[in-house]
Amino acid sequence: MDGEQYFVGIDLGMINSVMAYTDKEGTISIQRWEKGHTKFPSVVLLTPNRNYAGQLAIDRKFYEDRYHFENCFKRMMGTTHKQRIYNTDYTPTELFSMILHKMIRTFEEEHKQKIERAVIAVPADFGDAEREATLKAAYLAGIKEPKIINESNAAAISYCHDTDNFVGKAAIYDIGGGTFDVTVMDIHEGGFDVLSNEGSKFLGGRDWDLQLASIIQKKIIQEAGLSPKDIDNDGELRKRILSEAERHKIILDRVDKSKGAVMVRGKYVGFEITRTELDSATVELVSKTIGMTSDAIKAAGLTPNKLDRIIMVGGPSITPLIRTMLETEYPNVEITRYDPIHAVARGAALYARSVFGKNDIEIRSVLNKTFGLKMGVDGEEVVCNLLHRNITLPMTKKVICRPKSDDQQTLDIAVYENRSMKGEITSPLIRSRLLNTFHIPLTGKILRGKTKIYIEMSADCEGMIAINTECNGKKDTCDLGEAIYLSDEEFLETMKRVRSVQ
């Protein structure tokens, strides 16, 4: 395809995704989809004959006799989870690749440009496995050269693009449909220095929806004379209640109360919901985000009075309670809300123009998780932390291990991640997540307690982890992403399904 050269950035969200692009001069545009919408629904409809993504997946539900409707799979990225549907195993990686492929193909058809390079924004809380899975999804979708950027970093780039005179210490408070991140950074003329990250991939706008759905459900039970078991046994009714919750959450951002109705057993059952009820049900969720914000400020070596600005982005950031509680917690910090829906995608597009063209944006990030190896210390198995989070990238750490027995044939390496801070040398296994276990073959003369086995763990500038070993001159590499890799045959089969999505 021939046309003007564009640089593409994608905010791959749990509920909705957004694509932005820039031209050579740096003019930013937001890609529009069906009916002019800028949000692309992150949903997939799987049927026995054909698969659909985005708004078409939502619309086709009314025309298909048999289907599986899949959404909210972002939180499962990086896992080995599979769901068998119509005799085919689907992974979160494949489902997200369908979203990506449909977005890319639509863009190509409209702009007459083949997209083989793009920047994809991911939550700062994503670890190595989740980032590897995102890159795999991009490859499956036809993006040959994908780059990753943290969503909060992308939002900061977009904000500074529109606010040329801002320099200082800022906290990017990014709450999306399924995830929350807060990144503290030093923004200066030379670029962006990330000082700390905190967040959770299990905290976002969907959790507000579920709390409001619970309130509406109780009202429906009371008004219709149902029991909780009646609703538990009616999946379609639960979906209708959740849909109402999603709609009324948006309405309650602007008004104090709202009325609605849900179809129950052939009759509409009315209800009224107030912002006060929603606030009471979600105050604990907001408190969690503020707690993480405080932790991030502390991890950055700052106090609140040294923070110049809190920049709120993400759809749920328009919720009045969030701003009120932030202002109460940080009365002396300027709090501003910025482009809730498009900030991340816009920043990703600007970053794409930099990494694939001008190279004029410099981001110095920190590692988002702590990585270590299982070892025996004083007769107890613990995780010995090698690479610590909230330390500037890149970094490398080398340790020496020794065999437990003469002629030992393999070295078992168990790699864990956790949230330990710098200075915490070890962590209990119970507080760590096992990423992978490797069995490294040992060669040459192996003597118990004498032979040196070198293990080097490193993180590059994008936070991707590499592990290398050496014993008696023989070198091996441990690939953390191997658990989610596909064989050549599986890759081609999966790619065929992905690229046939409608």
Side-chain angles (χ1 to χ4, degrees), residues 215-497:
I215 296 172
I216 295 173
Q217 179 173 305
K218 291 176 182 177
K219 293 175 180 287
I220 295 297
I221 286 174
Q222 183 176 5
E223 187 69 24
L226 303 176
S227 69
K229 189 174 181 180
D230 291 329
I231 293 187
D232 289 342
N233 293 333
D234 192 337
E236 289 302 316
L237 177 55
R238 293 198 306 274
K239 289 178 183 178
R240 290 195 293 273
I241 291 174
L242 181 58
S243 178
E244 281 295 292
E246 293 168 352
R247 187 170 70 87
H248 286 278
K249 182 187 70 174
I250 297 172
I251 293 173
L252 291 174
D253 287 335
R254 303 188 303 270
V255 300
D256 293 330
K257 62 182 178 180
S258 180
K259 293 183 178 181
V262 176
M263 177 70 75
V264 181
R265 295 176 178 175
K267 295 182 180 180
Y268 279 103
V269 177
F271 63 88
E272 181 177 280
I273 194 80
T274 68
R275 184 189 293 172
T276 300
E277 290 176 299
L278 177 60
D279 288 350
S280 297
T282 57
V283 65
E284 185 176 340
L285 297 175
V286 182
S287 295
K288 287 181 180 179
T289 70
I290 291 177
M292 292 180 196
T293 302
S294 298
D295 290 343
I297 295 170
K298 183 178 178 180
L302 302 176
T303 57
N305 62 342
K306 296 293 184 181
L307 197 66
D308 297 302
R309 194 166 296 179
I310 295 176
I311 302 167
M312 302 169 62
V313 297
S317 69
I318 65 175
T319 303
L321 179 65
I322 293 178
R323 180 163 192 137
T324 299
M325 291 182 66
L326 278 173
E327 289 175 341
T328 300
E329 184 72 18
Y330 303 104
N332 299 318
V333 180
E334 180 181 345
I335 298 175
T336 181
R337 185 185 299 117
Y338 170 72
D339 196 358
I341 306 301
H342 307 127
V344 171
R346 293 174 81 252
L350 288 166
Y351 190 62
R353 179 171 175 262
S354 176
V355 296
F356 298 129
K358 294 189 65 177
N359 198 29
D360 58 346
I361 298 175
E362 184 177 2
I363 302 175
R364 288 171 287 275
S365 291
V366 297
L367 192 61
N368 62 331
K369 298 287 177 65
T370 293
F371 296 85
L373 306 175
K374 183 172 74 172
M375 294 185 180
V377 178
D378 298 329
E380 181 183 1
E381 288 189 329
V382 297
V383 176
C384 289
N385 298 318
L386 301 184
L387 306 180
H388 285 83
R389 71 191 185 105
N390 289 332
I391 303 297
T392 302
L393 295 166
M395 65 179 78
T396 299
K397 184 69 176 291
K398 182 179 287 188
V399 296
I400 299 175
C401 298
R402 299 181 189 274
K404 295 180 180 179
S405 61
D406 291 339
D407 302 322
Q408 184 173 318
Q409 294 184 350
T410 61
L411 173 70
D412 296 336
I413 300 177
V415 184
Y416 285 78
E417 70 175 21
N418 56 62
R419 304 187 71 85
S420 298
M421 300 299 291
K422 183 181 180 180
E424 296 182 61
I425 300 174
T426 64
S427 298
L429 291 177
I430 196 172
R431 283 177 44 206
S432 304
R433 173 193 174 196
L434 176 64
L435 297 179
N436 211 332
T437 300
F438 302 96
H439 308 286
I440 307 299
L442 301 180
T443 58
K445 187 66 174 177
I446 304 297
L447 298 176
R448 177 181 180 271
K450 293 184 179 181
T451 303
K452 293 182 179 180
I453 305 170
Y454 299 92
I455 303 176
E456 181 183 83
M457 182 181 289
S458 61
D460 65 15
C461 291
E462 294 182 347
M464 304 301 291
I465 305 299
I467 303 170
N468 297 293
T469 67
E470 182 178 351
C471 178
N472 288 331
K474 182 178 182 296
K475 298 180 180 180
D476 285 283
T477 298
C478 306
D479 192 338
L480 280 178
E482 68 177 15
I484 59 171
Y485 288 170
L486 301 172
S487 67
D488 291 343
E489 183 179 343
E490 289 172 327
F491 186 89
L492 291 174
E493 202 172 300
T494 303
M495 184 176 67
K496 182 179 179 181
R497 288 196 300 268

